[in-house]
mmCIF file of all heavy atoms in Angstrom:
data_model
loop_
_atom_site.group_PDB
_atom_site.id
_atom_site.type_symbol
_atom_site.label_atom_id
_atom_site.label_comp_id
_atom_site.label_asym_id
_atom_site.label_seq_id
_atom_site.Cartn_x
_atom_site.Cartn_y
_atom_site.Cartn_z
ATOM 1 N N LYS J 55 -3.458 -31.619 -101.879
ATOM 2 C CA LYS J 55 -4.093 -30.516 -101.141
ATOM 3 C C LYS J 55 -4.568 -30.972 -99.773
ATOM 4 O O LYS J 55 -4.475 -30.231 -98.799
ATOM 5 C CB LYS J 55 -5.284 -29.963 -101.919
ATOM 6 C CG LYS J 55 -4.930 -29.118 -103.095
ATOM 7 C CD LYS J 55 -6.210 -28.565 -103.692
ATOM 8 C CE LYS J 55 -6.017 -28.159 -105.118
ATOM 9 N NZ LYS J 55 -7.250 -27.674 -105.711
ATOM 10 N N THR J 56 -5.101 -32.187 -99.702
ATOM 11 C CA THR J 56 -5.619 -32.653 -98.421
ATOM 12 C C THR J 56 -4.490 -32.941 -97.438
ATOM 13 O O THR J 56 -4.706 -32.949 -96.241
ATOM 14 C CB THR J 56 -6.474 -33.924 -98.590
ATOM 15 O OG1 THR J 56 -5.697 -34.935 -99.222
ATOM 16 C CG2 THR J 56 -7.718 -33.646 -99.389
ATOM 17 N N GLN J 57 -3.280 -33.148 -97.946
ATOM 18 C CA GLN J 57 -2.151 -33.432 -97.067
ATOM 19 C C GLN J 57 -1.426 -32.159 -96.627
ATOM 20 O O GLN J 57 -0.632 -32.191 -95.707
ATOM 21 C CB GLN J 57 -1.145 -34.352 -97.777
ATOM 22 C CG GLN J 57 -1.696 -35.730 -98.057
ATOM 23 C CD GLN J 57 -0.708 -36.552 -98.876
ATOM 24 O OE1 GLN J 57 0.442 -36.206 -99.000
ATOM 25 N NE2 GLN J 57 -1.195 -37.641 -99.434
ATOM 26 N N MET J 58 -1.699 -31.054 -97.300
ATOM 27 C CA MET J 58 -0.999 -29.812 -96.979
ATOM 28 C C MET J 58 -1.506 -29.220 -95.672
ATOM 29 O O MET J 58 -2.685 -29.264 -95.367
ATOM 30 C CB MET J 58 -1.192 -28.778 -98.090
ATOM 31 C CG MET J 58 -0.434 -29.098 -99.345
ATOM 32 S SD MET J 58 -0.678 -27.850 -100.590
ATOM 33 C CE MET J 58 0.053 -26.431 -99.839
ATOM 34 N N VAL J 59 -0.584 -28.669 -94.925
ATOM 35 C CA VAL J 59 -0.919 -27.960 -93.696
ATOM 36 C C VAL J 59 -0.310 -26.571 -93.823
ATOM 37 O O VAL J 59 0.886 -26.426 -94.055
ATOM 38 C CB VAL J 59 -0.341 -28.665 -92.451
ATOM 39 C CG1 VAL J 59 -0.586 -27.842 -91.205
ATOM 40 C CG2 VAL J 59 -0.912 -30.049 -92.319
ATOM 41 N N ILE J 60 -1.148 -25.579 -93.693
ATOM 42 C CA ILE J 60 -0.668 -24.212 -93.764
ATOM 43 C C ILE J 60 -0.562 -23.696 -92.341
ATOM 44 O O ILE J 60 -1.527 -23.747 -91.577
ATOM 45 C CB ILE J 60 -1.606 -23.334 -94.606
ATOM 46 C CG1 ILE J 60 -1.638 -23.852 -96.040
ATOM 47 C CG2 ILE J 60 -1.171 -21.878 -94.544
ATOM 48 C CD1 ILE J 60 -2.612 -23.138 -96.933
ATOM 49 N N GLN J 61 0.626 -23.252 -91.984
ATOM 50 C CA GLN J 61 0.866 -22.778 -90.633
ATOM 51 C C GLN J 61 1.039 -21.275 -90.658
ATOM 52 O O GLN J 61 1.725 -20.730 -91.509
ATOM 53 C CB GLN J 61 2.116 -23.434 -90.062
ATOM 54 C CG GLN J 61 2.396 -23.016 -88.652
ATOM 55 C CD GLN J 61 3.636 -23.699 -88.100
ATOM 56 O OE1 GLN J 61 4.259 -24.494 -88.769
ATOM 57 N NE2 GLN J 61 3.982 -23.366 -86.891
ATOM 58 N N SER J 62 0.397 -20.645 -89.705
ATOM 59 C CA SER J 62 0.497 -19.198 -89.599
ATOM 60 C C SER J 62 0.729 -18.869 -88.138
ATOM 61 O O SER J 62 0.105 -19.450 -87.253
ATOM 62 C CB SER J 62 -0.805 -18.568 -90.090
ATOM 63 O OG SER J 62 -0.818 -17.210 -89.785
ATOM 64 N N SER J 63 1.639 -17.957 -87.881
ATOM 65 C CA SER J 63 1.838 -17.532 -86.500
ATOM 66 C C SER J 63 1.702 -16.022 -86.447
ATOM 67 O O SER J 63 1.940 -15.329 -87.428
ATOM 68 C CB SER J 63 3.210 -17.973 -85.990
ATOM 69 O OG SER J 63 4.219 -17.268 -86.662
ATOM 70 N N ARG J 64 1.335 -15.561 -85.274
ATOM 71 C CA ARG J 64 1.074 -14.138 -85.103
ATOM 72 C C ARG J 64 1.379 -13.776 -83.664
ATOM 73 O O ARG J 64 1.136 -14.566 -82.751
ATOM 74 C CB ARG J 64 -0.397 -13.922 -85.426
ATOM 75 C CG ARG J 64 -0.863 -12.540 -85.444
ATOM 76 C CD ARG J 64 -2.285 -12.555 -85.922
ATOM 77 N NE ARG J 64 -2.869 -11.270 -85.694
ATOM 78 C CZ ARG J 64 -4.106 -10.969 -85.916
ATOM 79 N NH1 ARG J 64 -4.910 -11.884 -86.384
ATOM 80 N NH2 ARG J 64 -4.562 -9.780 -85.702
ATOM 81 N N PHE J 65 1.920 -12.624 -83.476
ATOM 82 C CA PHE J 65 2.169 -12.180 -82.111
ATOM 83 C C PHE J 65 1.893 -10.693 -82.017
ATOM 84 O O PHE J 65 1.886 -9.995 -83.014
ATOM 85 C CB PHE J 65 3.600 -12.497 -81.666
ATOM 86 C CG PHE J 65 4.659 -11.712 -82.416
ATOM 87 C CD1 PHE J 65 5.115 -10.493 -81.933
ATOM 88 C CD2 PHE J 65 5.184 -12.196 -83.591
ATOM 89 C CE1 PHE J 65 6.081 -9.775 -82.609
ATOM 90 C CE2 PHE J 65 6.143 -11.480 -84.284
ATOM 91 C CZ PHE J 65 6.597 -10.275 -83.797
ATOM 92 N N THR J 66 1.636 -10.258 -80.800
ATOM 93 C CA THR J 66 1.444 -8.838 -80.566
ATOM 94 C C THR J 66 2.414 -8.415 -79.484
ATOM 95 O O THR J 66 2.843 -9.223 -78.667
ATOM 96 C CB THR J 66 0.007 -8.523 -80.107
ATOM 97 O OG1 THR J 66 -0.259 -9.253 -78.917
ATOM 98 C CG2 THR J 66 -1.009 -8.881 -81.164
ATOM 99 N N GLY J 67 2.734 -7.185 -79.496
ATOM 100 C CA GLY J 67 3.656 -6.674 -78.497
ATOM 101 C C GLY J 67 4.937 -6.205 -79.150
ATOM 102 O O GLY J 67 5.138 -6.357 -80.355
ATOM 103 N N PRO J 68 5.806 -5.660 -78.338
ATOM 104 C CA PRO J 68 7.022 -5.079 -78.898
ATOM 105 C C PRO J 68 8.077 -6.105 -79.299
ATOM 106 O O PRO J 68 8.932 -5.820 -80.114
ATOM 107 C CB PRO J 68 7.531 -4.189 -77.766
ATOM 108 C CG PRO J 68 6.996 -4.809 -76.524
ATOM 109 C CD PRO J 68 5.678 -5.412 -76.917
ATOM 110 N N LEU J 69 8.023 -7.301 -78.737
ATOM 111 C CA LEU J 69 9.049 -8.302 -79.018
ATOM 112 C C LEU J 69 8.446 -9.556 -79.646
ATOM 113 O O LEU J 69 7.367 -9.992 -79.251
ATOM 114 C CB LEU J 69 9.766 -8.707 -77.727
ATOM 115 C CG LEU J 69 10.628 -7.643 -77.075
ATOM 116 C CD1 LEU J 69 11.139 -8.127 -75.734
ATOM 117 C CD2 LEU J 69 11.788 -7.271 -77.974
#
Side-chain angles (χ1 to χ4, degrees):
K55 285 184 202 178
T56 57
Q57 294 175 14
M58 288 181 64
V59 174
I60 297 175
Q61 182 179 359
S62 170
S63 68
R64 186 174 168 184
F65 67 92
T66 58
L69 292 173

